[in-house]
Amino acid sequence: MGLSKHFPTLLLTDRLGLGKAFQRQLKLEIEDLQELDGAGREWSRQHYRNGFTSYASANELQKFSPTFAQLERQIDRHVARFVRALDYNLGGRPLRMKKCWVNVMPPNTHHGLHLHPLAVVSGTYYVDMPKGASAIKWEDPRLAHFMHAPPRKNPERAYNRQFVEYAAKSGDLVLFESWLRHEVPLHTAKQSRVSISFNYDWE
Ligand SMILES: [Fe+2]
């Protein structure tokens, strides 16, 4: 009876509060990786114009760096909270961080619309978000079905938006279901936007 709303899409945003020293250490390791990871630089030259990502080369950083492993433990707690909110029945097989990689976006880098295949929950931890850094932008997964839907009177309301942006600050974490398409529009700030992305999958 009456009105009800269905088909929710959940996003989790929070602060990890890991402290400045930890943040500095992450940034140093990312700088070192960028210098050492020739395969990543070559892949980025072809697929991530102007930027650097270790997505295709060094993408299990939580296994090799104690700093990234510590980050993983912090993120695990939030993923568990997200799983509870999603009401997932995981059948006793918990979600684990399977992939973890870094992204460095100097000015004039963008990351086009994409989703994260072969994963359940994905997200990003923001290491360095300079003033004016591009926000992450998610797309309403029903968008393709809206070809003749009238515009909304109150487009500012969260549930009326077809795109949701989150202007993350350094130290922020975002989580979303891996099938949800998202992008990072052109980054035009003077300094690089530095982040760590990851995929969680079933054990
Ligand atoms: Fe992504």
Side-chain angles (χ1 to χ4, degrees):
M1 294 279 281
L3 281 174
S4 56
K5 289 184 182 175
H6 298 280
F7 313 118
T9 304
L10 272 62
L11 301 172
L12 184 148
T13 57
D14 211 336
R15 289 195 64 70
L16 285 195
L18 293 170
K20 285 191 175 160
F22 186 84
Q23 206 74 351
R24 263 199 305 277
Q25 178 63 25
L26 276 176
K27 205 171 168 196
L28 277 177
E29 291 189 25
I30 292 170
E31 284 167 5
D32 284 351
L33 179 64
Q34 188 167 1
E35 211 170 293
L36 293 168
D37 183 11
R41 289 200 306 276
E42 178 56 25
W43 194 90
S44 303
R45 199 178 60 77
Q46 292 181 36
H47 303 283
Y48 201 57
R49 194 168 170 184
N50 297 327
F52 169 75
T53 177
S54 68
Y55 173 71
S57 48
N59 54 22
E60 295 183 323
L61 293 169
Q62 79 282 14
K63 292 185 182 169
F64 299 102
S65 154
T67 318
F68 280 73
Q70 192 178 335
L71 179 68
E72 177 191 15
R73 288 194 291 279
Q74 296 297 321
I75 296 172
D76 279 349
R77 294 171 29 231
H78 292 273
V79 170
R81 177 157 67 105
F82 195 44
V83 162
R84 285 196 296 277
L86 287 160
D87 229 0
Y88 281 164
N89 179 355
L90 295 176
R93 293 159 56 208
L95 296 185
R96 295 267 184 246
M97 185 184 279
K98 297 288 183 180
K99 299 285 180 191
C100 178
W101 64 95
V102 304
N103 314 289
V104 180
M105 299 179 76
N108 295 318
T109 311
H110 83 286
H111 195 169
L113 264 178
H114 65 284
L115 39 76
H116 291 212
L118 304 176
V120 177
V121 168
S122 296
T124 296
Y125 177 68
Y126 295 92
V127 178
D128 197 1
M129 292 293 275
K131 195 170 174 338
S134 285
I136 184 171
K137 186 175 177 183
W138 293 279
E139 180 191 83
D140 186 335
R142 305 162 303 169
L143 194 58
H145 304 287
F146 288 163
M147 61 185 187
H148 199 55
R152 307 298 165 109
K153 277 185 186 164
N154 297 293
E156 74 286 354
R157 287 183 183 159
Y159 58 78
N160 277 340
R161 290 185 198 157
Q162 292 174 343
F163 296 93
V164 175
E165 291 190 62
Y166 181 70
K169 302 221 169 0
S170 306
D172 282 0
L173 171 78
V174 303
L175 297 178
F176 48 91
E177 287 182 274
S178 304
W179 49 259
L180 185 61
R181 290 213 302 179
H182 56 284
E183 65 176 330
V184 181
L186 192 69
H187 175 69
T188 54
K190 289 200 178 80
Q191 289 161 330
S192 291
R193 179 189 193 278
V194 182
S195 64
I196 296 169
S197 295
F198 47 82
N199 287 335
Y200 277 69
D201 197 7
W202 265 357
E203 277 283 85

PDB file of all heavy atoms in Angstrom, residues 114-130:
ATOM      1  N   HIS A 114      34.337   3.645 -15.780  1.00  0.00           N
ATOM      2  CA  HIS A 114      34.723   2.234 -15.739  1.00  0.00           C
ATOM      3  C   HIS A 114      34.089   1.571 -14.522  1.00  0.00           C
ATOM      4  O   HIS A 114      33.570   2.237 -13.633  1.00  0.00           O
ATOM      5  CB  HIS A 114      36.245   2.086 -15.672  1.00  0.00           C
ATOM      6  CG  HIS A 114      36.839   2.624 -14.403  1.00  0.00           C
ATOM      7  ND1 HIS A 114      37.002   3.978 -14.171  1.00  0.00           N
ATOM      8  CD2 HIS A 114      37.292   2.005 -13.288  1.00  0.00           C
ATOM      9  CE1 HIS A 114      37.530   4.153 -12.975  1.00  0.00           C
ATOM     10  NE2 HIS A 114      37.714   2.973 -12.406  1.00  0.00           N
ATOM     11  N   LEU A 115      34.139   0.256 -14.511  1.00  0.00           N
ATOM     12  CA  LEU A 115      33.775  -0.501 -13.317  1.00  0.00           C
ATOM     13  C   LEU A 115      34.930  -1.455 -13.023  1.00  0.00           C
ATOM     14  O   LEU A 115      35.931  -1.450 -13.742  1.00  0.00           O
ATOM     15  CB  LEU A 115      32.441  -1.222 -13.508  1.00  0.00           C
ATOM     16  CG  LEU A 115      32.139  -1.844 -14.869  1.00  0.00           C
ATOM     17  CD1 LEU A 115      32.911  -3.110 -15.046  1.00  0.00           C
ATOM     18  CD2 LEU A 115      30.657  -2.083 -15.038  1.00  0.00           C
ATOM     19  N   HIS A 116      34.824  -2.221 -11.962  1.00  0.00           N
ATOM     20  CA  HIS A 116      35.936  -3.085 -11.567  1.00  0.00           C
ATOM     21  C   HIS A 116      35.515  -4.550 -11.713  1.00  0.00           C
ATOM     22  O   HIS A 116      34.891  -5.108 -10.794  1.00  0.00           O
ATOM     23  CB  HIS A 116      36.340  -2.804 -10.117  1.00  0.00           C
ATOM     24  CG  HIS A 116      36.983  -1.471  -9.917  1.00  0.00           C
ATOM     25  ND1 HIS A 116      37.953  -1.235  -8.975  1.00  0.00           N
ATOM     26  CD2 HIS A 116      36.803  -0.288 -10.550  1.00  0.00           C
ATOM     27  CE1 HIS A 116      38.326   0.033  -9.030  1.00  0.00           C
ATOM     28  NE2 HIS A 116      37.638   0.629  -9.975  1.00  0.00           N
ATOM     29  N   PRO A 117      35.834  -5.177 -12.835  1.00  0.00           N
ATOM     30  CA  PRO A 117      35.413  -6.563 -13.046  1.00  0.00           C
ATOM     31  C   PRO A 117      36.077  -7.531 -12.059  1.00  0.00           C
ATOM     32  O   PRO A 117      37.129  -7.229 -11.508  1.00  0.00           O
ATOM     33  CB  PRO A 117      35.900  -6.871 -14.472  1.00  0.00           C
ATOM     34  CG  PRO A 117      36.312  -5.578 -15.059  1.00  0.00           C
ATOM     35  CD  PRO A 117      36.649  -4.664 -13.928  1.00  0.00           C
ATOM     36  N   LEU A 118      35.449  -8.676 -11.867  1.00  0.00           N
ATOM     37  CA  LEU A 118      35.983  -9.767 -11.038  1.00  0.00           C
ATOM     38  C   LEU A 118      36.232  -9.330  -9.599  1.00  0.00           C
ATOM     39  O   LEU A 118      37.230  -9.709  -8.982  1.00  0.00           O
ATOM     40  CB  LEU A 118      37.267 -10.343 -11.657  1.00  0.00           C
ATOM     41  CG  LEU A 118      37.141 -10.841 -13.107  1.00  0.00           C
ATOM     42  CD1 LEU A 118      38.476 -11.288 -13.638  1.00  0.00           C
ATOM     43  CD2 LEU A 118      36.112 -11.957 -13.188  1.00  0.00           C
ATOM     44  N   ALA A 119      35.351  -8.510  -9.073  1.00  0.00           N
ATOM     45  CA  ALA A 119      35.449  -8.085  -7.682  1.00  0.00           C
ATOM     46  C   ALA A 119      34.043  -7.851  -7.151  1.00  0.00           C
ATOM     47  O   ALA A 119      33.086  -7.734  -7.926  1.00  0.00           O
ATOM     48  CB  ALA A 119      36.287  -6.820  -7.560  1.00  0.00           C
ATOM     49  N   VAL A 120      33.926  -7.785  -5.833  1.00  0.00           N
ATOM     50  CA  VAL A 120      32.617  -7.582  -5.194  1.00  0.00           C
ATOM     51  C   VAL A 120      32.490  -6.157  -4.656  1.00  0.00           C
ATOM     52  O   VAL A 120      31.531  -5.451  -4.931  1.00  0.00           O
ATOM     53  CB  VAL A 120      32.413  -8.610  -4.060  1.00  0.00           C
ATOM     54  CG1 VAL A 120      31.090  -8.356  -3.331  1.00  0.00           C
ATOM     55  CG2 VAL A 120      32.437 -10.032  -4.616  1.00  0.00           C
ATOM     56  N   VAL A 121      33.482  -5.758  -3.864  1.00  0.00           N
ATOM     57  CA  VAL A 121      33.504  -4.396  -3.320  1.00  0.00           C
ATOM     58  C   VAL A 121      34.826  -3.746  -3.735  1.00  0.00           C
ATOM     59  O   VAL A 121      35.883  -4.382  -3.679  1.00  0.00           O
ATOM     60  CB  VAL A 121      33.377  -4.416  -1.778  1.00  0.00           C
ATOM     61  CG1 VAL A 121      33.700  -3.049  -1.173  1.00  0.00           C
ATOM     62  CG2 VAL A 121      31.970  -4.844  -1.359  1.00  0.00           C
ATOM     63  N   SER A 122      34.746  -2.517  -4.175  1.00  0.00           N
ATOM     64  CA  SER A 122      35.950  -1.775  -4.563  1.00  0.00           C
ATOM     65  C   SER A 122      35.961  -0.438  -3.839  1.00  0.00           C
ATOM     66  O   SER A 122      34.957  -0.029  -3.249  1.00  0.00           O
ATOM     67  CB  SER A 122      35.989  -1.548  -6.074  1.00  0.00           C
ATOM     68  OG  SER A 122      36.082  -2.776  -6.749  1.00  0.00           O
ATOM     69  N   GLY A 123      37.088   0.225  -3.932  1.00  0.00           N
ATOM     70  CA  GLY A 123      37.153   1.528  -3.287  1.00  0.00           C
ATOM     71  C   GLY A 123      38.487   2.195  -3.482  1.00  0.00           C
ATOM     72  O   GLY A 123      39.375   1.679  -4.183  1.00  0.00           O
ATOM     73  N   THR A 124      38.616   3.353  -2.850  1.00  0.00           N
ATOM     74  CA  THR A 124      39.838   4.151  -2.967  1.00  0.00           C
ATOM     75  C   THR A 124      40.147   4.794  -1.624  1.00  0.00           C
ATOM     76  O   THR A 124      39.236   5.221  -0.908  1.00  0.00           O
ATOM     77  CB  THR A 124      39.653   5.232  -4.063  1.00  0.00           C
ATOM     78  OG1 THR A 124      39.477   4.593  -5.322  1.00  0.00           O
ATOM     79  CG2 THR A 124      40.859   6.151  -4.155  1.00  0.00           C
ATOM     80  N   TYR A 125      41.434   4.833  -1.322  1.00  0.00           N
ATOM     81  CA  TYR A 125      41.913   5.594  -0.178  1.00  0.00           C
ATOM     82  C   TYR A 125      42.724   6.768  -0.732  1.00  0.00           C
ATOM     83  O   TYR A 125      43.576   6.583  -1.604  1.00  0.00           O
ATOM     84  CB  TYR A 125      42.784   4.715   0.728  1.00  0.00           C
ATOM     85  CG  TYR A 125      43.355   5.502   1.878  1.00  0.00           C
ATOM     86  CD1 TYR A 125      42.526   5.996   2.884  1.00  0.00           C
ATOM     87  CD2 TYR A 125      44.719   5.808   1.939  1.00  0.00           C
ATOM     88  CE1 TYR A 125      43.034   6.751   3.921  1.00  0.00           C
ATOM     89  CE2 TYR A 125      45.232   6.555   2.979  1.00  0.00           C
ATOM     90  CZ  TYR A 125      44.383   7.029   3.959  1.00  0.00           C
ATOM     91  OH  TYR A 125      44.879   7.789   4.983  1.00  0.00           O
ATOM     92  N   TYR A 126      42.454   7.955  -0.205  1.00  0.00           N
ATOM     93  CA  TYR A 126      43.063   9.159  -0.768  1.00  0.00           C
ATOM     94  C   TYR A 126      44.291   9.573   0.036  1.00  0.00           C
ATOM     95  O   TYR A 126      44.192   9.910   1.209  1.00  0.00           O
ATOM     96  CB  TYR A 126      42.021  10.282  -0.840  1.00  0.00           C
ATOM     97  CG  TYR A 126      40.933   9.909  -1.820  1.00  0.00           C
ATOM     98  CD1 TYR A 126      39.779   9.262  -1.397  1.00  0.00           C
ATOM     99  CD2 TYR A 126      41.110  10.122  -3.184  1.00  0.00           C
ATOM    100  CE1 TYR A 126      38.807   8.860  -2.302  1.00  0.00           C
ATOM    101  CE2 TYR A 126      40.141   9.726  -4.093  1.00  0.00           C
ATOM    102  CZ  TYR A 126      38.996   9.099  -3.651  1.00  0.00           C
ATOM    103  OH  TYR A 126      38.059   8.696  -4.552  1.00  0.00           O
ATOM    104  N   VAL A 127      45.438   9.532  -0.635  1.00  0.00           N
ATOM    105  CA  VAL A 127      46.713   9.828   0.019  1.00  0.00           C
ATOM    106  C   VAL A 127      47.009  11.322  -0.033  1.00  0.00           C
ATOM    107  O   VAL A 127      47.416  11.920   0.951  1.00  0.00           O
ATOM    108  CB  VAL A 127      47.859   9.033  -0.658  1.00  0.00           C
ATOM    109  CG1 VAL A 127      49.206   9.356  -0.025  1.00  0.00           C
ATOM    110  CG2 VAL A 127      47.574   7.537  -0.577  1.00  0.00           C
ATOM    111  N   ASP A 128      46.815  11.916  -1.186  1.00  0.00           N
ATOM    112  CA  ASP A 128      47.088  13.344  -1.327  1.00  0.00           C
ATOM    113  C   ASP A 128      46.078  13.959  -2.284  1.00  0.00           C
ATOM    114  O   ASP A 128      46.106  13.684  -3.477  1.00  0.00           O
ATOM    115  CB  ASP A 128      48.531  13.539  -1.834  1.00  0.00           C
ATOM    116  CG  ASP A 128      49.019  14.959  -1.601  1.00  0.00           C
ATOM    117  OD1 ASP A 128      48.251  15.777  -1.037  1.00  0.00           O
ATOM    118  OD2 ASP A 128      50.170  15.251  -1.976  1.00  0.00           O
ATOM    119  N   MET A 129      45.208  14.755  -1.734  1.00  0.00           N
ATOM    120  CA  MET A 129      44.190  15.436  -2.545  1.00  0.00           C
ATOM    121  C   MET A 129      44.430  16.940  -2.445  1.00  0.00           C
ATOM    122  O   MET A 129      43.992  17.593  -1.493  1.00  0.00           O
ATOM    123  CB  MET A 129      42.794  15.081  -2.039  1.00  0.00           C
ATOM    124  CG  MET A 129      42.417  13.638  -2.281  1.00  0.00           C
ATOM    125  SD  MET A 129      42.219  13.244  -4.035  1.00  0.00           S
ATOM    126  CE  MET A 129      40.515  13.730  -4.304  1.00  0.00           C
ATOM    127  N   PRO A 130      45.165  17.503  -3.409  1.00  0.00           N
ATOM    128  CA  PRO A 130      45.453  18.937  -3.336  1.00  0.00           C
ATOM    129  C   PRO A 130      44.172  19.760  -3.518  1.00  0.00           C
ATOM    130  O   PRO A 130      43.144  19.225  -3.953  1.00  0.00           O
ATOM    131  CB  PRO A 130      46.421  19.157  -4.495  1.00  0.00           C
ATOM    132  CG  PRO A 130      46.141  18.046  -5.449  1.00  0.00           C
ATOM    133  CD  PRO A 130      45.704  16.877  -4.612  1.00  0.00           C
TER     134      PRO A 130
END
